Amino acid sequence: MVTHTMTNRTILTETHGRVGLIRLNRPAQLNALNDELMDALGAALLAFDGNADVGAILVTGSDKAFAAGADIAVMADWTYMDVYQGGFITRNWETIRQVRKPVIAAVAGYAMGGGCELALACDIIVAAESAKFALPEIKLAMLPGAGGTQRLPRAVGKAKAMDMCLSARVLSAQEADRYGLVSRVVPDAELQNTALKLATQIAGYSLPALMAIKESVNRAHESSLSEGILFERRELHARFASSDAHEGMQAFLGKRQPVFQHR
Ligand code: HXC
């Protein structure tokens, strides 16, 4: 069942069962990311994160563009004081970091600059064969400033990240798959279905376990190995306080499907 819950100019949201879907919607600008869109995206992410009936969030764009980057037409006139005092990026782009449920990006066409960085801030990227990933800010004498210089090397290693950031190299979906930037590549016609099926599968699992896994995997990037292992161990121990974990194990032993309460 599809329920339309919110529509405005720059994003569209729907729920499909336990999946909250957010579609970036500035087709005439290839979904260039302006403040209005990023404010709406942040609000929609937080609304789904706080909705007990949603277990996973899917972010997608159009057939032609996931997003072609920050809105250059808007940025062109900004001064240092505008962006510094206005908290550009920090103020609304980083809302996605507060989201504790799994966020999947379904990417077709251009994921350039801030669009690529937005995809990188998601937990899983499913790419259509048409997907094109680049951080071309250097062409504008700019910098990938929404986490790109940090998340890209963690995703693909220094060599590929330097190449992409310094030369504006565009990766095809197949290259992005080979280098570890995306987790799956599918034909364009199957993107929405595959991503929704994946999100539905994930949303069917126990939500607190999903949240613990997301937090633990993120520790791999944000702490030392020994701290990360300790964090993971505590999260594992905490599973034994979860009724869903007992239900999951009992269901396995009873050769039946588990019924999770997300507790
Ligand atoms: C504003 C954009 C835009 C952008 C495209 N458009 N990208 N507007 N900001 N980032 C607009 C175009 O101006 C054009 O408007 C319309 O969308 C269609 O784009 P075309 O260029 O005509 O399409 P096409 O020839 O198919 O080329 C697609 C493209 C190209 C290769 C993606 O649009 C492009 O190079 N875009 C810029 C990519 C980029 O540099 N991204 C990084 C931005 S900087 P009109 O009105 O002419 O129809 C960035 C900084 C991040 O993201 C730092 C912190 C986040």
Side-chain angles (χ1 to χ4, degrees), residues 230-263:
L230 177 63
F231 187 89
E232 179 203 75
R233 195 63 32 81
R234 291 287 174 266
E235 289 291 343
L236 170 70
H237 291 168
R239 289 309 91 222
F240 289 84
S242 155
S243 52
D244 279 351
H246 293 288
E247 164 65 8
M249 292 186 277
Q250 287 300 335
F252 174 80
L253 295 172
K255 301 187 190 305
R256 62 173 174 82
Q257 286 300 309
V259 180
F260 292 129
Q261 305 297 330
H262 307 291
R263 308 281 304 172

Side-chain angles (χ1 to χ4, degrees), residues 48-130:
F48 282 142
D49 207 36
N51 180 342
D53 296 329
V54 168
I57 302 168
L58 188 55
V59 180
T60 193
S62 69
D63 293 348
K64 181 153 190 218
F66 179 72
D71 192 324
I72 300 167
V74 174
M75 288 193 297
D77 292 331
W78 284 349
T79 65
Y80 172 77
M81 277 307 155
D82 290 334
V83 295
Y84 181 67
Q85 298 204 42
F88 178 45
I89 303 299
T90 320
R91 186 172 56 75
N92 49 7
W93 287 58
E94 292 191 333
T95 307
I96 195 165
R97 296 182 63 193
Q98 298 168 33
V99 177
R100 299 173 71 200
K101 294 173 182 174
V103 182
I104 297 157
V107 176
Y110 297 107
M112 304 284 234
C116 182
E117 293 176 292
L118 174 61
L120 281 166
C122 296
D123 303 312
I124 297 176
I125 303 176
V126 182
E129 280 164 354
S130 68

Side-chain angles (χ1 to χ4, degrees), residues 143-207:
L143 177 87
T149 65
Q150 304 305 301
R151 290 198 182 95
L152 190 64
R154 284 166 166 81
V156 304
K158 176 182 166 182
K160 300 295 184 204
M162 280 289 190
D163 189 355
M164 288 178 70
C165 291
L166 296 177
S167 76
R169 175 180 177 181
V170 180
L171 295 190
S172 68
Q174 295 300 344
E175 287 170 319
D177 190 31
R178 209 175 319 134
Y179 303 153
L181 177 52
V182 306
S183 59
R184 308 181 185 200
V185 179
V186 297
D188 280 62
E190 291 168 25
L191 178 68
Q192 298 298 325
N193 251 343
T194 304
L196 190 55
K197 253 172 80 178
L198 173 63
T200 301
Q201 180 193 2
I202 291 172
Y205 295 132
S206 169
L207 182 56

